[in-house]
Amino acid sequence: MSKQELSIETVDGCCVPIMDAALDSTAAVEGATVFKALADPVRLRLMSIIASAGAEICVCDITPQFDVSGPTISHHLKVLREAGLVDCERRGTWVYYWPLPERLTWLSTLLSVPTPATT
Amino acid sequence: MSKQELSIETVDGCCVPIMDAALDSTAAVEGATVFKALADPVRLRLMSIIASAGAEICVCDITPQFDVSGPTISHHLKVLREAGLVDCERRGTWVYYWPLPERLTWLSTLLSVPTPATT
């Protein structure tokens, strides 16, 4: 398993939505790195396939869903893993992936908009 | 005001979280375009400054918060505007910006993780 994931301090908890407070430069660099991991159509679709699988998913079930090569898929999966969005484990021939919901929750909270109170 | 914003069909409503369903190729291309707009530290910080301002904010109050040139800030603001994340209006000398919460809500929902039910 990769130990290269970003270590955004707030990843395990909640962060402050950008509607509530501006990011400082350090947080902006870290946040932008995670958004960059999702800023590619193949990676975003890969992320959604892993996130929606309901359980861990074998890379052998992922690759056939794309028109790009296996090594290209492996490269994109590595980017997602280094961004802390997924993790994986090799078992025998295949590697199995699962999402890291803490990171998704962190991003979702960052971009959340308060619901206006009804009067 | 720019009319070049992305026209993600679901922008006015809710989208389906990636934890619930995988994106198709078209949605992945559109989503990745918006994430790309946030995948730069200066743009992400710009976005958070505009989002947290509480009202529209003059570009004259934004630019001094960065160590980059005015034209560079203008370029980044244009990328955010074209991604449908902010909008703006020129009044006299200055341009005023405000966030478009619909797009932020769309991204936040896309990345949201269901809260596990407590038993």
Side-chain angles (χ1 to χ4, degrees):
Chain A
M1 282 182 238
S2 168
K3 294 295 173 194
Q4 304 173 53
E5 289 89 10
L6 281 175
S7 57
I8 290 178
E9 287 178 15
T10 45
V11 70
D12 292 326
C14 191
C15 64
V16 178
I18 58 171
M19 291 293 284
D20 291 342
L23 295 172
D24 63 28
S25 300
T26 306
V29 167
E30 294 183 334
T33 303
V34 187
F35 285 123
K36 193 170 182 181
L38 297 173
D40 176 276
V42 172
R43 282 202 297 275
L44 183 55
R45 214 172 130 231
L46 272 172
M47 182 69 224
S48 74
I49 288 170
I50 295 168
S52 64
E56 59 185 27
I57 182 169
C58 176
V59 71
C60 59
D61 292 321
I62 297 174
T63 307
Q65 302 187 48
F66 292 85
D67 291 331
V68 297
S69 69
T72 298
I73 294 293
S74 293
H75 162 73
H76 285 311
L77 287 168
K78 185 181 175 200
V79 174
L80 292 176
R81 208 176 67 230
E82 290 179 355
L85 288 159
V86 303
D87 207 347
C88 67
E89 189 172 69
R90 173 177 289 279
R91 283 182 225 134
T93 306
W94 300 112
V95 182
Y96 294 79
Y97 285 84
W98 58 89
L100 294 178
E102 296 81 4
R103 179 72 75 183
L104 289 173
T105 299
W106 186 86
L107 292 173
S108 179
T109 304
L110 190 73
L111 301 174
S112 65
V113 175
T115 308
T118 51
T119 52
Chain B
M1 282 183 241
S2 168
K3 293 296 173 193
Q4 302 173 55
E5 289 89 10
L6 282 176
S7 58
I8 291 180
E9 289 178 15
T10 46
V11 70
D12 292 327
C14 190
C15 65
V16 177
I18 57 171
M19 290 294 284
D20 290 342
L23 295 172
D24 64 27
S25 299
T26 306
V29 168
E30 293 184 336
T33 304
V34 187
F35 285 123
K36 192 169 182 180
L38 297 173
D40 176 277
V42 172
R43 283 203 294 277
L44 184 55
R45 213 173 131 231
L46 272 172
M47 183 68 223
S48 74
I49 288 170
I50 295 169
S52 64
E56 59 185 28
I57 182 170
C58 176
V59 72
C60 59
D61 292 320
I62 297 174
T63 307
Q65 300 187 47
F66 292 85
D67 290 331
V68 297
S69 70
T72 298
I73 293 294
S74 294
H75 163 73
H76 285 311
L77 287 168
K78 185 181 175 197
V79 174
L80 292 176
R81 207 175 67 229
E82 289 178 357
L85 288 160
V86 303
D87 207 347
C88 66
E89 188 173 68
R90 173 175 288 279
R91 286 182 223 133
T93 306
W94 299 111
V95 183
Y96 294 79
Y97 285 84
W98 59 88
L100 294 177
E102 296 81 4
R103 180 70 74 182
L104 289 173
T105 298
W106 186 87
L107 293 174
S108 179
T109 304
L110 190 73
L111 301 175
S112 65
V113 175
T115 309
T118 52
T119 52

